[in-house]
Amino acid sequence: MKQKIRWGILSTAKIATEKVIPAIQQGEYSEVVAICSRDITKAQEVAGNLNIGKYYGSYEELLQDPDIDAVYNPLPNHMHVPWTIKALEAGKHVLCEKPIGLNTEDARKLVDETLKYPHLKVMEAFMYRFHPQWHQVLSLIRNGVIGEVRSVHTIFSYYNDDPANIRNQMGIGGGALMDIGCYCISFPRFIYGEEPEAVTGLMDTDPQMHTDRLTSGLMKFSSGKSASFTCSTQLFSFQRTVISGTNGQINIKIPVNAPPAGTTTIELINNDGVKEFSFTPVDQYTLEADAFSLAILEDKPVPTPLDDAIGNMKVIDAIIESVKENRWINIS
């Protein structure tokens, strides 16, 4: 039997219980050994439902468990950096949900702390990067199938106007830009392999909750390349990424939430016509957890370094500044 990294789950957040934990449990190099909640009854219930051996009634107790190698942190955005640091202090590797922090300054605090623990690994959980459809997209681009890529456009939306939902709460990192706009920003950075030079944005805020319910952004890259997006927490649920080049186009039909039990497709359009690429069901969360676990086991760099997380946060901050000042913001 292959050696496996023993995971502890920091809270009973919905994304953890419904998506990430079942995915980790299917991993080749990963297993879930403990979960915690501030409500020990809730922790016990989830542990029983998901066949997790141990449960704790506080985050601190889980971090002190010597049988845990790595922690998954799906806490609300304002708790990402402080609890990832606490996990490092307890000697745990950390896979932290996106966005890595509330802003660039917050994220840099984490990066500074990681320097104290060079033997421990931390990665921001952009799971989409591990799905085969994205590997195919990058392969097509690198092989020049659509010529020079000059434009990336993404729309990502869902409808949630519940003021009790953490995604709709000011002060703790709520709003469309932080929750799903971070994906829209990550995509072109991933595709181009570079950072935008300047950005501008538009934002509509909810009059009661004061979080952004619709944000659009435009990013300027070198050599005239651009990227644009619209994200919303109060529009019909939809997601699509369109990558346009001088000789063709790639349409990613489900760029973020690729279904683990369903076929995923991307569409290539060029002078040869239309070609569809299909991908058999795969759980991108399993692939992500195993990639992180393997980096620990082999003591190799994680697939997505924290420098990338800082880059994404800088763009988020610049878009917010652009909205406030109604102008383009240069990114240094």
Side-chain angles (χ1 to χ4, degrees), residues 99-119:
I100 199 69
L102 289 178
N103 49 51
T104 305
E105 181 182 2
D106 194 31
R108 281 179 171 149
K109 289 178 185 177
L110 174 57
V111 172
D112 290 343
E113 285 296 315
T114 63
L115 299 178
K116 301 176 184 178
Y117 309 95
H119 60 294

Side-chain angles (χ1 to χ4, degrees), residues 74-108:
L75 293 166
N77 293 340
H78 69 300
M79 301 171 74
H80 284 176
V81 167
W83 281 98
T84 295
I85 291 174
K86 288 180 184 293
L88 290 172
E89 292 170 346
K92 315 300 184 188
H93 306 276
V94 187
L95 177 66
C96 182
E97 261 309 325
K98 55 75 203 166
I100 199 69
L102 289 178
N103 49 51
T104 305
E105 181 182 2
D106 194 31
R108 281 179 171 149

Side-chain angles (χ1 to χ4, degrees), residues 16 18-28 30 32 283-287 289-290:
E18 294 188 0
K19 295 183 178 181
V20 179
I21 293 174
I24 294 176
Q25 290 173 324
Q26 299 301 313
E28 185 177 359
S30 312
V32 179
D283 196 320
Q284 58 192 351
Y285 289 103
T286 301
L287 299 176
D290 261 358

Side-chain angles (χ1 to χ4, degrees), residues 312-325:
N312 226 53
M313 287 303 323
K314 289 173 71 174
V315 180
I316 290 173
D317 285 353
I319 288 175
I320 293 171
E321 184 180 355
S322 168
V323 171
K324 290 179 179 178
E325 299 189 9

Side-chain angles (χ1 to χ4, degrees), residues 100-278:
I100 199 69
L102 289 178
N103 49 51
T104 305
E105 181 182 2
D106 194 31
R108 281 179 171 149
K109 289 178 185 177
L110 174 57
V111 172
D112 290 343
E113 285 296 315
T114 63
L115 299 178
K116 301 176 184 178
Y117 309 95
H119 60 294
L120 296 175
K121 303 185 187 301
V122 181
M123 187 173 81
E124 185 178 30
F126 272 125
M127 76 297 184
Y128 79 88
R129 295 187 175 193
F130 299 89
H131 197 284
Q133 69 171 351
W134 276 95
H135 298 168
Q136 181 68 64
V137 166
L138 292 183
S139 177
L140 292 170
I141 291 172
R142 288 166 181 164
N143 288 325
V145 176
I146 62 170
E148 182 186 358
V149 177
R150 302 295 300 275
S151 171
V152 178
H153 177 70
T154 298
I155 183 167
F156 191 6
S157 60
Y158 62 82
Y159 200 97
N160 179 349
D161 61 357
D162 177 9
N165 190 286
I166 60 171
R167 293 169 180 81
N168 291 323
Q169 294 179 20
M170 280 292 291
I172 65 170
L177 181 61
M178 292 287 280
D179 187 40
I180 54 179
C182 59
Y183 287 105
C184 305
I185 291 167
S186 178
F187 293 160
R189 295 177 55 252
F190 189 46
I191 291 165
Y192 291 143
E194 63 180 271
E195 302 298 333
E197 298 175 340
V199 302
T200 189
L202 297 171
M203 187 176 289
D204 178 56
T205 58
D206 185 279
Q208 280 76 47
M209 298 181 291
H210 306 295
T211 52
D212 65 301
R213 59 185 177 185
L214 188 150
T215 295
S216 294
L218 181 60
M219 293 169 269
K220 176 186 176 183
F221 290 79
S222 65
S223 304
K225 296 191 293 287
S226 71
S228 56
F229 72 88
T230 292
C231 62
S232 176
T233 55
Q234 292 184 30
L235 285 179
F236 181 74
S237 183
F238 184 75
Q239 57 183 276
R240 184 68 53 87
T241 295
V242 179
I243 304 165
S244 299
T246 53
N247 295 325
Q249 186 179 84
I250 299 170
N251 295 323
I252 310 177
K253 297 181 180 180
I254 313 178
V256 180
N257 302 124
T263 300
T264 305
T265 61
I266 63 173
E267 185 180 63
L268 168 66
I269 306 171
N270 60 16
N271 292 331
D272 295 327
V274 179
K275 182 178 180 180
E276 190 171 81
F277 295 83
S278 296

